[in-house]
Amino acid sequence: MKRTAPGRAAAALPALLCGATLLWPPGAHAAAADCAALAEDAQRLACYDALFRAGTAPPAAGVAPAQPFERAPERAPERTQPPGPVEPGSMPVSGGAPTPPAAGTGLALSEAMSQYWELTPADKRGTFVVRTYLPTYLLPLHVTSSLNRQPFSPTRGLAPARPGYRSLEAKLRISLRAKIAEGLLLPDADLWFAYTQRSLWQVWNRAESSPFRNTDYEPEAIYVVPVPQALGELPGGWRWRMVQLGLAHQSNGQGDALSRSWNRVYFGTAAERDGLGLQLRLNHRLQSDSGDDDNPGLTRYIGNAELTANWLPGAHTVQVGWRTHLTDFRRGSLQLDWTYPVRRDNPQGLRWYVQLFTGYGETLLDYNHRQTSLGVGVALFNF
């Protein structure tokens, strides 16, 4: 479109507005002509502004109006939420749009659980996208009360003793997952594939050439079925969120006296209330037809049931896990995991990680060995 010079555009303005003469004040035609006669663009535009807004006669030609472009004082933005910290997951509303939680706070647990497992259509993010599964961490300081220097299995016998192994080592875990089918068989039900690898590393043991003492490998398939809202309302404000069916294999990839492995199917379910979530998982071990068992009696030591509680108090995350056997509560284990952001203003980034474990089966190699351990380090990815 062809541009018009400012002076010509201002002179043509009265003609362009002739269709609105009913809104002009008396004598406005003559006054507009006086405005057009002003030489300065700023004075001329201010003259028109005064004429059509206030309905008064313009100032005399050559006299500049007082501060023609003075702006009204700017108003301070209104608060959309009260000052002070925001409770986890609180979503103050302003103008119909949700305001995200303040920096450093987390999602409400119901939102976190729903987004984590993509339980609703709004949470779906497609298939074959790799995401984190269990917490991925590096604990460079991991100390145990009783290092298993000579593992034993009734079918494999005693492994060679390693008296040079130290109680201070490193522990690390990598855990990833991907959805491989969406909306499978039931509404919003998804099929996931996950892989977890956990290692104990004698990184501080230079005399033994810093070997990896044990690594457990665990692939699994998980079928996740959301519970419809109509069925999920429970007494006391609790909500039943989902059920899971899984198939898992776990082994340490070693041979002879150090070989450990097992296969299992499991059923899991989860419920939440405010910032607290509970998950129950029941494991059933699948015995091989050959009867060649690396670790007989494994479930009598590590248990066949797992109860996990998750709590999200603000920027912290706390998880307590209890493993036991439903007919024998003498063994099993307890584990506490705590995280906190390294930077309070970036809760999605690197997090401090503390893990306390006591009982049997911290690794497959230690399935029948009792110990208490403490690990300190960082979570590498948010989970």
Side-chain angles (χ1 to χ4, degrees), residues 78-86 90-94 99-102:
E78 295 182 359
R79 287 185 177 271
T80 58
Q81 60 189 51
V86 179
S90 60
M91 305 289 283
V93 176
S94 175
T99 302

Side-chain angles (χ1 to χ4, degrees), residues 168-180:
L168 178 62
E169 54 190 0
K171 183 177 182 180
L172 59 97
R173 180 168 69 183
I174 299 172
S175 188
L176 303 171
R177 66 194 168 113
K179 187 195 301 182
I180 60 176

Side-chain angles (χ1 to χ4, degrees), residues 3 15 51 74 110-111 121 124 142 152 155 185 192 194 213 233 236 264 275 279 297 325 327 333 377:
R3 293 183 176 271
L51 173 63
E74 295 183 359
S110 58
E111 295 173 349
K124 302 300 182 185
H142 180 267
F152 168 77
T155 57
L185 301 180
W192 297 78
R213 184 166 66 86
E233 300 301 327
R264 72 187 190 275
Q279 183 167 352
H325 198 284
T327 62
S333 64

Side-chain angles (χ1 to χ4, degrees), residues 4-77:
T4 305
R8 293 175 59 188
L13 186 60
L16 294 175
L17 296 177
C18 63
T21 53
L22 292 178
L23 302 178
W24 285 30
H29 288 281
D34 292 336
C35 290
L38 293 174
E40 295 293 332
D41 291 342
Q43 295 178 7
R44 184 167 52 254
L45 292 175
C47 175
Y48 286 125
D49 184 68
L51 173 63
F52 293 107
R53 285 191 178 181
T56 58
V63 180
Q67 302 185 16
F69 291 100
E70 182 180 5
R71 294 182 178 179
E74 295 183 359
R75 296 175 59 187

Side-chain angles (χ1 to χ4, degrees), residues 293-336:
D293 189 351
D294 292 337
N295 24 248
L298 179 136
T299 56
R300 294 203 309 269
Y301 286 95
I302 70 171
N304 59 6
E306 305 171 45
L307 180 63
T308 304
N310 294 279
W311 185 38
L312 306 181
H316 305 263
T317 70
V318 180
Q319 183 180 83
V320 179
W322 177 41
R323 294 192 308 189
T324 189
H325 198 284
L326 295 178
T327 62
D328 185 357
F329 298 95
R330 294 174 298 172
R331 297 187 179 95
S333 64
L334 279 171
Q335 181 170 306
L336 170 68

